[in-house]
PDB file of all heavy atoms in Angstrom:
ATOM      1  N   ILE K   1      17.314  21.144-149.346  1.00  0.00           N
ATOM      2  CA  ILE K   1      17.505  22.523-149.732  1.00  0.00           C
ATOM      3  C   ILE K   1      17.916  22.572-151.188  1.00  0.00           C
ATOM      4  O   ILE K   1      18.857  21.875-151.604  1.00  0.00           O
ATOM      5  CB  ILE K   1      18.635  23.213-148.894  1.00  0.00           C
ATOM      6  CG1 ILE K   1      18.376  23.007-147.404  1.00  0.00           C
ATOM      7  CG2 ILE K   1      18.845  24.647-149.284  1.00  0.00           C
ATOM      8  CD1 ILE K   1      17.164  23.701-146.848  1.00  0.00           C
ATOM      9  N   VAL K   2      17.247  23.342-152.011  1.00  0.00           N
ATOM     10  CA  VAL K   2      17.602  23.508-153.424  1.00  0.00           C
ATOM     11  C   VAL K   2      18.402  24.819-153.493  1.00  0.00           C
ATOM     12  O   VAL K   2      17.956  25.838-152.998  1.00  0.00           O
ATOM     13  CB  VAL K   2      16.331  23.569-154.305  1.00  0.00           C
ATOM     14  CG1 VAL K   2      16.710  23.821-155.765  1.00  0.00           C
ATOM     15  CG2 VAL K   2      15.527  22.293-154.175  1.00  0.00           C
ATOM     16  N   PHE K   3      19.554  24.750-154.161  1.00  0.00           N
ATOM     17  CA  PHE K   3      20.398  25.963-154.212  1.00  0.00           C
ATOM     18  C   PHE K   3      21.232  25.981-155.487  1.00  0.00           C
ATOM     19  O   PHE K   3      21.361  24.981-156.183  1.00  0.00           O
ATOM     20  CB  PHE K   3      21.274  26.102-152.974  1.00  0.00           C
ATOM     21  CG  PHE K   3      22.272  24.986-152.789  1.00  0.00           C
ATOM     22  CD1 PHE K   3      23.616  25.177-153.161  1.00  0.00           C
ATOM     23  CD2 PHE K   3      21.943  23.788-152.225  1.00  0.00           C
ATOM     24  CE1 PHE K   3      24.546  24.162-152.999  1.00  0.00           C
ATOM     25  CE2 PHE K   3      22.859  22.761-152.046  1.00  0.00           C
ATOM     26  CZ  PHE K   3      24.177  22.944-152.437  1.00  0.00           C
ATOM     27  N   GLU K   4      21.770  27.137-155.804  1.00  0.00           N
ATOM     28  CA  GLU K   4      22.583  27.371-156.996  1.00  0.00           C
ATOM     29  C   GLU K   4      24.016  27.704-156.570  1.00  0.00           C
ATOM     30  O   GLU K   4      24.238  28.065-155.386  1.00  0.00           O
ATOM     31  CB  GLU K   4      21.991  28.533-157.799  1.00  0.00           C
ATOM     32  CG  GLU K   4      20.606  28.296-158.326  1.00  0.00           C
ATOM     33  CD  GLU K   4      20.535  27.282-159.459  1.00  0.00           C
ATOM     34  OE1 GLU K   4      21.529  27.194-160.238  1.00  0.00           O
ATOM     35  OE2 GLU K   4      19.535  26.573-159.562  1.00  0.00           O
ATOM     36  N   PRO K   5      24.975  27.662-157.471  1.00  0.00           N
ATOM     37  CA  PRO K   5      26.373  27.975-157.130  1.00  0.00           C
ATOM     38  C   PRO K   5      26.544  29.357-156.468  1.00  0.00           C
ATOM     39  O   PRO K   5      27.360  29.506-155.562  1.00  0.00           O
ATOM     40  CB  PRO K   5      27.097  27.940-158.477  1.00  0.00           C
ATOM     41  CG  PRO K   5      26.293  26.986-159.298  1.00  0.00           C
ATOM     42  CD  PRO K   5      24.860  27.197-158.856  1.00  0.00           C
ATOM     43  N   GLU K   6      25.739  30.323-156.850  1.00  0.00           N
ATOM     44  CA  GLU K   6      25.895  31.654-156.298  1.00  0.00           C
ATOM     45  C   GLU K   6      25.492  31.751-154.820  1.00  0.00           C
ATOM     46  O   GLU K   6      25.763  32.731-154.133  1.00  0.00           O
ATOM     47  CB  GLU K   6      25.147  32.708-157.099  1.00  0.00           C
ATOM     48  CG  GLU K   6      23.660  32.498-157.190  1.00  0.00           C
ATOM     49  CD  GLU K   6      23.206  31.735-158.426  1.00  0.00           C
ATOM     50  OE1 GLU K   6      24.015  31.028-159.038  1.00  0.00           O
ATOM     51  OE2 GLU K   6      22.034  31.843-158.783  1.00  0.00           O
ATOM     52  N   HIS K   7      24.839  30.720-154.302  1.00  0.00           N
ATOM     53  CA  HIS K   7      24.431  30.723-152.908  1.00  0.00           C
ATOM     54  C   HIS K   7      25.499  30.133-151.973  1.00  0.00           C
ATOM     55  O   HIS K   7      25.363  30.196-150.765  1.00  0.00           O
ATOM     56  CB  HIS K   7      23.141  29.890-152.723  1.00  0.00           C
ATOM     57  CG  HIS K   7      22.008  30.447-153.531  1.00  0.00           C
ATOM     58  ND1 HIS K   7      21.312  29.671-154.468  1.00  0.00           N
ATOM     59  CD2 HIS K   7      21.447  31.654-153.565  1.00  0.00           C
ATOM     60  CE1 HIS K   7      20.378  30.422-155.014  1.00  0.00           C
ATOM     61  NE2 HIS K   7      20.461  31.623-154.491  1.00  0.00           N
ATOM     62  N   VAL K   8      26.570  29.577-152.547  1.00  0.00           N
ATOM     63  CA  VAL K   8      27.585  28.906-151.754  1.00  0.00           C
ATOM     64  C   VAL K   8      28.564  29.950-151.192  1.00  0.00           C
ATOM     65  O   VAL K   8      29.278  30.625-151.940  1.00  0.00           O
ATOM     66  CB  VAL K   8      28.357  27.857-152.602  1.00  0.00           C
ATOM     67  CG1 VAL K   8      29.480  27.210-151.821  1.00  0.00           C
ATOM     68  CG2 VAL K   8      27.364  26.791-153.106  1.00  0.00           C
ATOM     69  N   ALA K   9      28.641  30.004-149.849  1.00  0.00           N
ATOM     70  CA  ALA K   9      29.549  30.944-149.192  1.00  0.00           C
ATOM     71  C   ALA K   9      30.888  30.314-148.823  1.00  0.00           C
ATOM     72  O   ALA K   9      31.886  30.974-148.660  1.00  0.00           O
ATOM     73  CB  ALA K   9      28.900  31.500-147.914  1.00  0.00           C
ATOM     74  N   ALA K  10      30.892  28.956-148.643  1.00  0.00           N
ATOM     75  CA  ALA K  10      32.116  28.241-148.284  1.00  0.00           C
ATOM     76  C   ALA K  10      31.964  26.777-148.659  1.00  0.00           C
ATOM     77  O   ALA K  10      30.834  26.267-148.721  1.00  0.00           O
ATOM     78  CB  ALA K  10      32.375  28.386-146.788  1.00  0.00           C
ATOM     79  N   VAL K  11      33.091  26.142-148.904  1.00  0.00           N
ATOM     80  CA  VAL K  11      33.117  24.720-149.158  1.00  0.00           C
ATOM     81  C   VAL K  11      34.049  24.084-148.135  1.00  0.00           C
ATOM     82  O   VAL K  11      35.178  24.551-147.951  1.00  0.00           O
ATOM     83  CB  VAL K  11      33.630  24.402-150.595  1.00  0.00           C
ATOM     84  CG1 VAL K  11      33.756  22.909-150.831  1.00  0.00           C
ATOM     85  CG2 VAL K  11      32.713  25.029-151.666  1.00  0.00           C
ATOM     86  N   LEU K  12      33.556  23.050-147.466  1.00  0.00           N
ATOM     87  CA  LEU K  12      34.413  22.359-146.466  1.00  0.00           C
ATOM     88  C   LEU K  12      35.511  21.586-147.186  1.00  0.00           C
ATOM     89  O   LEU K  12      35.218  20.812-148.086  1.00  0.00           O
ATOM     90  CB  LEU K  12      33.581  21.409-145.614  1.00  0.00           C
ATOM     91  CG  LEU K  12      34.343  20.609-144.583  1.00  0.00           C
ATOM     92  CD1 LEU K  12      34.790  21.515-143.481  1.00  0.00           C
ATOM     93  CD2 LEU K  12      33.468  19.457-144.046  1.00  0.00           C
ATOM     94  N   ILE K  13      36.743  21.818-146.811  1.00  0.00           N
ATOM     95  CA  ILE K  13      37.873  21.073-147.336  1.00  0.00           C
ATOM     96  C   ILE K  13      38.343  20.156-146.252  1.00  0.00           C
ATOM     97  O   ILE K  13      38.876  20.583-145.226  1.00  0.00           O
ATOM     98  CB  ILE K  13      39.016  22.017-147.836  1.00  0.00           C
ATOM     99  CG1 ILE K  13      38.447  22.935-148.914  1.00  0.00           C
ATOM    100  CG2 ILE K  13      40.192  21.210-148.299  1.00  0.00           C
ATOM    101  CD1 ILE K  13      39.437  23.968-149.408  1.00  0.00           C
ATOM    102  N   ARG K  14      38.133  18.868-146.484  1.00  0.00           N
ATOM    103  CA  ARG K  14      38.480  17.849-145.448  1.00  0.00           C
ATOM    104  C   ARG K  14      39.997  17.671-145.358  1.00  0.00           C
ATOM    105  O   ARG K  14      40.717  17.914-146.339  1.00  0.00           O
ATOM    106  CB  ARG K  14      37.753  16.532-145.807  1.00  0.00           C
ATOM    107  CG  ARG K  14      36.237  16.710-145.859  1.00  0.00           C
ATOM    108  CD  ARG K  14      35.563  15.409-146.271  1.00  0.00           C
ATOM    109  NE  ARG K  14      34.164  15.626-146.545  1.00  0.00           N
ATOM    110  CZ  ARG K  14      33.191  15.694-145.659  1.00  0.00           C
ATOM    111  NH1 ARG K  14      33.477  15.539-144.365  1.00  0.00           N
ATOM    112  NH2 ARG K  14      31.936  15.902-145.973  1.00  0.00           N
ATOM    113  N   LYS K  15      40.440  17.177-144.207  1.00  0.00           N
ATOM    114  CA  LYS K  15      41.856  16.959-144.022  1.00  0.00           C
ATOM    115  C   LYS K  15      42.454  15.950-144.942  1.00  0.00           C
ATOM    116  O   LYS K  15      43.635  15.915-145.176  1.00  0.00           O
ATOM    117  CB  LYS K  15      42.143  16.538-142.555  1.00  0.00           C
ATOM    118  CG  LYS K  15      41.959  17.702-141.556  1.00  0.00           C
ATOM    119  CD  LYS K  15      42.312  17.202-140.173  1.00  0.00           C
ATOM    120  CE  LYS K  15      42.118  18.348-139.187  1.00  0.00           C
ATOM    121  NZ  LYS K  15      42.399  17.913-137.820  1.00  0.00           N
ATOM    122  N   THR K  16      41.601  15.101-145.522  1.00  0.00           N
ATOM    123  CA  THR K  16      42.060  14.069-146.477  1.00  0.00           C
ATOM    124  C   THR K  16      42.209  14.644-147.895  1.00  0.00           C
ATOM    125  O   THR K  16      42.610  13.930-148.789  1.00  0.00           O
ATOM    126  CB  THR K  16      41.068  12.890-146.500  1.00  0.00           C
ATOM    127  OG1 THR K  16      39.781  13.397-146.782  1.00  0.00           O
ATOM    128  CG2 THR K  16      41.082  12.142-145.178  1.00  0.00           C
ATOM    129  N   ASP K  17      41.887  15.920-148.077  1.00  0.00           N
ATOM    130  CA  ASP K  17      41.963  16.583-149.381  1.00  0.00           C
ATOM    131  C   ASP K  17      43.330  17.284-149.500  1.00  0.00           C
ATOM    132  O   ASP K  17      43.723  18.007-148.583  1.00  0.00           O
ATOM    133  CB  ASP K  17      40.833  17.575-149.477  1.00  0.00           C
ATOM    134  CG  ASP K  17      40.697  18.246-150.850  1.00  0.00           C
ATOM    135  OD1 ASP K  17      41.769  18.550-151.471  1.00  0.00           O
ATOM    136  OD2 ASP K  17      39.571  18.414-151.321  1.00  0.00           O
ATOM    137  N   PRO K  18      44.086  17.047-150.581  1.00  0.00           N
ATOM    138  CA  PRO K  18      45.387  17.691-150.726  1.00  0.00           C
ATOM    139  C   PRO K  18      45.349  19.214-150.652  1.00  0.00           C
ATOM    140  O   PRO K  18      46.390  19.834-150.381  1.00  0.00           O
ATOM    141  CB  PRO K  18      45.847  17.243-152.112  1.00  0.00           C
ATOM    142  CG  PRO K  18      45.093  15.998-152.390  1.00  0.00           C
ATOM    143  CD  PRO K  18      43.769  16.149-151.672  1.00  0.00           C
ATOM    144  N   ARG K  19      44.193  19.846-150.820  1.00  0.00           N
ATOM    145  CA  ARG K  19      44.084  21.326-150.688  1.00  0.00           C
ATOM    146  C   ARG K  19      44.083  21.770-149.271  1.00  0.00           C
ATOM    147  O   ARG K  19      44.282  22.938-148.997  1.00  0.00           O
ATOM    148  CB  ARG K  19      42.787  21.813-151.396  1.00  0.00           C
ATOM    149  CG  ARG K  19      42.766  21.549-152.870  1.00  0.00           C
ATOM    150  CD  ARG K  19      41.447  21.914-153.467  1.00  0.00           C
ATOM    151  NE  ARG K  19      40.371  21.093-152.884  1.00  0.00           N
ATOM    152  CZ  ARG K  19      39.106  21.395-152.880  1.00  0.00           C
ATOM    153  NH1 ARG K  19      38.693  22.516-153.449  1.00  0.00           N
ATOM    154  NH2 ARG K  19      38.223  20.607-152.312  1.00  0.00           N
ATOM    155  N   HIS K  20      43.854  20.852-148.312  1.00  0.00           N
ATOM    156  CA  HIS K  20      43.791  21.228-146.874  1.00  0.00           C
ATOM    157  C   HIS K  20      45.203  21.599-146.420  1.00  0.00           C
ATOM    158  O   HIS K  20      46.161  20.939-146.751  1.00  0.00           O
ATOM    159  CB  HIS K  20      43.223  20.063-146.051  1.00  0.00           C
ATOM    160  CG  HIS K  20      42.877  20.468-144.687  1.00  0.00           C
ATOM    161  ND1 HIS K  20      43.811  20.623-143.678  1.00  0.00           N
ATOM    162  CD2 HIS K  20      41.674  20.758-144.124  1.00  0.00           C
ATOM    163  CE1 HIS K  20      43.203  20.984-142.559  1.00  0.00           C
ATOM    164  NE2 HIS K  20      41.929  21.073-142.798  1.00  0.00           N
ATOM    165  N   PRO K  21      45.334  22.693-145.631  1.00  0.00           N
ATOM    166  CA  PRO K  21      46.674  23.128-145.196  1.00  0.00           C
ATOM    167  C   PRO K  21      47.403  22.116-144.317  1.00  0.00           C
ATOM    168  O   PRO K  21      48.620  22.144-144.262  1.00  0.00           O
ATOM    169  CB  PRO K  21      46.413  24.431-144.433  1.00  0.00           C
ATOM    170  CG  PRO K  21      44.951  24.469-144.166  1.00  0.00           C
ATOM    171  CD  PRO K  21      44.282  23.595-145.177  1.00  0.00           C
ATOM    172  N   HIS K  22      46.690  21.192-143.674  1.00  0.00           N
ATOM    173  CA  HIS K  22      47.327  20.194-142.810  1.00  0.00           C
ATOM    174  C   HIS K  22      47.345  18.801-143.445  1.00  0.00           C
ATOM    175  O   HIS K  22      47.571  17.821-142.744  1.00  0.00           O
ATOM    176  CB  HIS K  22      46.633  20.165-141.449  1.00  0.00           C
ATOM    177  CG  HIS K  22      46.690  21.452-140.754  1.00  0.00           C
ATOM    178  ND1 HIS K  22      47.878  22.002-140.277  1.00  0.00           N
ATOM    179  CD2 HIS K  22      45.751  22.353-140.424  1.00  0.00           C
ATOM    180  CE1 HIS K  22      47.594  23.159-139.696  1.00  0.00           C
ATOM    181  NE2 HIS K  22      46.338  23.413-139.799  1.00  0.00           N
ATOM    182  N   TYR K  23      47.099  18.745-144.758  1.00  0.00           N
ATOM    183  CA  TYR K  23      47.095  17.450-145.455  1.00  0.00           C
ATOM    184  C   TYR K  23      48.508  16.847-145.413  1.00  0.00           C
ATOM    185  O   TYR K  23      49.500  17.527-145.643  1.00  0.00           O
ATOM    186  CB  TYR K  23      46.665  17.660-146.905  1.00  0.00           C
ATOM    187  CG  TYR K  23      46.779  16.401-147.750  1.00  0.00           C
ATOM    188  CD1 TYR K  23      45.829  15.401-147.638  1.00  0.00           C
ATOM    189  CD2 TYR K  23      47.828  16.230-148.652  1.00  0.00           C
ATOM    190  CE1 TYR K  23      45.900  14.284-148.433  1.00  0.00           C
ATOM    191  CE2 TYR K  23      47.909  15.092-149.420  1.00  0.00           C
ATOM    192  CZ  TYR K  23      46.952  14.105-149.311  1.00  0.00           C
ATOM    193  OH  TYR K  23      47.049  12.979-150.053  1.00  0.00           O
ATOM    194  N   ARG K  24      48.567  15.562-145.045  1.00  0.00           N
ATOM    195  CA  ARG K  24      49.835  14.859-144.979  1.00  0.00           C
ATOM    196  C   ARG K  24      49.845  13.674-145.926  1.00  0.00           C
ATOM    197  O   ARG K  24      50.924  13.144-146.260  1.00  0.00           O
ATOM    198  CB  ARG K  24      50.148  14.366-143.575  1.00  0.00           C
ATOM    199  CG  ARG K  24      50.361  15.540-142.636  1.00  0.00           C
ATOM    200  CD  ARG K  24      50.880  15.087-141.316  1.00  0.00           C
ATOM    201  NE  ARG K  24      50.180  13.889-140.851  1.00  0.00           N
ATOM    202  CZ  ARG K  24      50.144  13.484-139.627  1.00  0.00           C
ATOM    203  NH1 ARG K  24      50.782  14.186-138.696  1.00  0.00           N
ATOM    204  NH2 ARG K  24      49.504  12.399-139.259  1.00  0.00           N
ATOM    205  N   GLY K  25      48.692  13.195-146.318  1.00  0.00           N
ATOM    206  CA  GLY K  25      48.653  12.093-147.299  1.00  0.00           C
ATOM    207  C   GLY K  25      48.999  10.754-146.716  1.00  0.00           C
ATOM    208  O   GLY K  25      49.088   9.784-147.439  1.00  0.00           O
ATOM    209  N   ASP K  26      49.192  10.673-145.402  1.00  0.00           N
ATOM    210  CA  ASP K  26      49.573   9.402-144.809  1.00  0.00           C
ATOM    211  C   ASP K  26      48.536   8.786-143.919  1.00  0.00           C
ATOM    212  O   ASP K  26      48.762   7.737-143.306  1.00  0.00           O
ATOM    213  CB  ASP K  26      50.890   9.544-144.042  1.00  0.00           C
ATOM    214  CG  ASP K  26      50.821  10.568-142.930  1.00  0.00           C
ATOM    215  OD1 ASP K  26      49.769  11.265-142.846  1.00  0.00           O
ATOM    216  OD2 ASP K  26      51.789  10.684-142.157  1.00  0.00           O
ATOM    217  N   GLY K  27      47.378   9.408-143.796  1.00  0.00           N
ATOM    218  CA  GLY K  27      46.309   8.878-142.919  1.00  0.00           C
ATOM    219  C   GLY K  27      45.432   7.912-143.679  1.00  0.00           C
ATOM    220  O   GLY K  27      45.431   7.871-144.907  1.00  0.00           O
ATOM    221  N   PRO K  28      44.658   7.145-142.942  1.00  0.00           N
ATOM    222  CA  PRO K  28      43.734   6.217-143.619  1.00  0.00           C
ATOM    223  C   PRO K  28      42.640   6.982-144.336  1.00  0.00           C
ATOM    224  O   PRO K  28      42.246   8.060-143.927  1.00  0.00           O
ATOM    225  CB  PRO K  28      43.153   5.416-142.417  1.00  0.00           C
ATOM    226  CG  PRO K  28      43.469   6.173-141.199  1.00  0.00           C
ATOM    227  CD  PRO K  28      44.616   7.077-141.516  1.00  0.00           C
ATOM    228  N   PRO K  29      42.157   6.442-145.459  1.00  0.00           N
ATOM    229  CA  PRO K  29      41.093   7.131-146.209  1.00  0.00           C
ATOM    230  C   PRO K  29      39.861   7.336-145.369  1.00  0.00           C
ATOM    231  O   PRO K  29      39.505   6.471-144.545  1.00  0.00           O
ATOM    232  CB  PRO K  29      40.775   6.186-147.380  1.00  0.00           C
ATOM    233  CG  PRO K  29      41.853   5.129-147.355  1.00  0.00           C
ATOM    234  CD  PRO K  29      42.533   5.204-146.019  1.00  0.00           C
TER     235      PRO K  29
END
């Protein structure tokens, strides 16, 4: 799929990302 930034409705934030609300920073990478 070819797309541009304006087509993005959401970005998945993984639990290993400090922006995730349940991020603890102590799990394995």
Side-chain angles (χ1 to χ4, degrees):
I1 307 295
V2 177
F3 64 99
E4 298 288 329
E6 61 266 21
H7 301 124
V8 177
V11 176
L12 178 70
I13 299 176
R14 300 177 191 278
K15 288 183 181 178
T16 54
D17 187 319
R19 297 174 298 160
H20 193 282
H22 299 295
Y23 174 76
R24 295 189 316 199
D26 59 352

